[in-house]
Amino acid sequence: MAQPLLQSVDNALRVLELFEGAIRELSLTEIARRLSLGKSTVHRLLATLEAREFVEQNPESGRYRLGVRLVHIGAYKLSNINVIEECRPILEELAGITGESTHLSFYTGGRTTFVDKVKGSNPAFMASMIGDTTPAYASAPGKIFLAFMPRDELEAVLRHIEFQPRTPYTINNRVQLLEQLETVRQAGYAEDQQEGDEGLVCFAAPIWGYENKILASMSVGGAASRMNSRRDSLVRDIIAAAANASKRCGWHSP
C-alpha cells in the first residue's frame, strides 16, 4: 500500500523538477501554470525554497532558477558514488529475473575485469570469479567499452591488440571487430557468442555516469542454447537493468 504524500513537500519537489533539461529560468506565473497551482501557493513554495537556497531569483528579470544548495548536494552525491555498491541490487534483481549469472565489469588497458558477480539459479552457470580478466575484444562487456570510447583512444587500443583465438568463435581481425563495434553502437548492447568461453553466451550493456561517461558494463551470461533461445527477452532485460544502474550512478537521459 502506497504511503500518503505530504502535499506541500511534493509540490516543492515538483517545482524543482521543472528546471530539468534546457529550462534555466521560469517566472512565478509560468510555474503556477505548469503545475496547475494557484499563484499564492507557488509564491509560498518559492519563498521557502529561496530561503533554503534551493532556488534563487534573478534580480534583473525577476524569474526563478535553481540555487547553489542543489549544486552542493549534487556534487557531494556524485563524488561519493560507489559504482559497485549502487549496482549490486540491480545485479541481484537481474539474476533473479533471468536465472542467469550477472556481472559488473571495469575496463583498463585493453582488458575487462569482473568486479562483482551474482550467480544465477539455472544449471551450467558461468564459472567466473571476481577478479577474472578478459581481452576486451573477446567479451561482450569489453565490446561495450571499445564501442563507446573516443575514436582516438580506440585507435590506440587497436594498435596494440594481438588477436588470440580463445575459442573457434573469437574475433580474429581488426575489420571484424570494427564491424561488431559499429553494431554495438547502433544497438546499445553487445553480445559474446561463445567468443570468450566455448559453450557460454553473454549479453552486456553500458552503465553511464555523470557527463555521459561510461563507468562500467553490466552483463548476463549462461549456457549458449539457453541464452540464445531467450535472446530477445534477455537483451531487453540487460538494457533495462543497465539503464536503471546508470540512473543510480548519476546519469540523466537527455
Side-chain angles (χ1 to χ4, degrees), residues 14-34:
R14 290 172 65 208
V15 170
L16 297 178
E17 289 173 346
L18 289 177
F19 294 94
E20 291 183 332
I23 297 176
R24 297 178 61 86
E25 293 187 347
L26 290 168
S27 68
L28 185 152
T29 300
E30 288 171 328
I31 294 171
R33 184 177 69 251
R34 288 169 181 259

Side-chain angles (χ1 to χ4, degrees), residues 164-221:
Q164 301 289 334
R166 294 172 60 90
T167 77
Y169 309 99
T170 308
I171 292 173
N172 58 25
N173 63 78
R174 174 190 173 107
V175 172
Q176 185 183 11
L177 176 58
L178 288 174
E179 289 175 350
Q180 286 208 21
L181 296 183
E182 180 58 32
T183 299
V184 171
R185 280 189 287 270
Q186 293 181 11
Y189 73 94
E191 54 187 288
D192 162 5
Q193 289 289 340
Q194 306 185 65
E195 298 157 46
D197 293 285
E198 197 163 0
L200 294 177
V201 163
C202 179
F203 303 116
I207 296 175
W208 301 91
Y210 182 61
E211 295 182 337
N212 289 331
K213 294 181 179 179
I214 288 189
L215 301 177
S217 179
M218 183 173 287
S219 58
V220 57

Side-chain angles (χ1 to χ4, degrees), residues 45-63:
L45 290 170
L46 289 169
T48 303
L49 291 170
E50 187 174 17
R52 304 293 297 179
E53 298 182 325
F54 284 96
V55 300
E56 60 187 24
Q57 192 172 21
N58 186 325
E60 296 181 359
S61 66
R63 295 159 70 85

Side-chain angles (χ1 to χ4, degrees), residues 70-91:
L70 280 175
V71 176
H72 295 160
I73 293 174
Y76 177 81
K77 171 63 177 176
L78 290 172
S79 66
N80 285 277
I81 285 177
N82 182 315
V83 176
I84 298 175
E85 183 178 291
E86 294 293 338
C87 294
R88 179 69 185 190
I90 301 172
L91 285 179

Side-chain angles (χ1 to χ4, degrees), residues 107 109-110 136 145-163 173-175 177-179 181-182 185:
Y107 171 89
F145 290 107
L146 295 177
F148 293 105
M149 67 174 48
R151 185 70 190 193
D152 57 343
E153 187 177 343
L154 174 59
E155 285 295 333
V157 172
L158 290 173
R159 285 196 295 271
H160 293 90
I161 289 180
E162 295 182 6
F163 292 96
N173 63 78
R174 174 190 173 107
V175 172
L177 176 58
L178 288 174
E179 289 175 350
L181 296 183
E182 180 58 32
R185 280 189 287 270

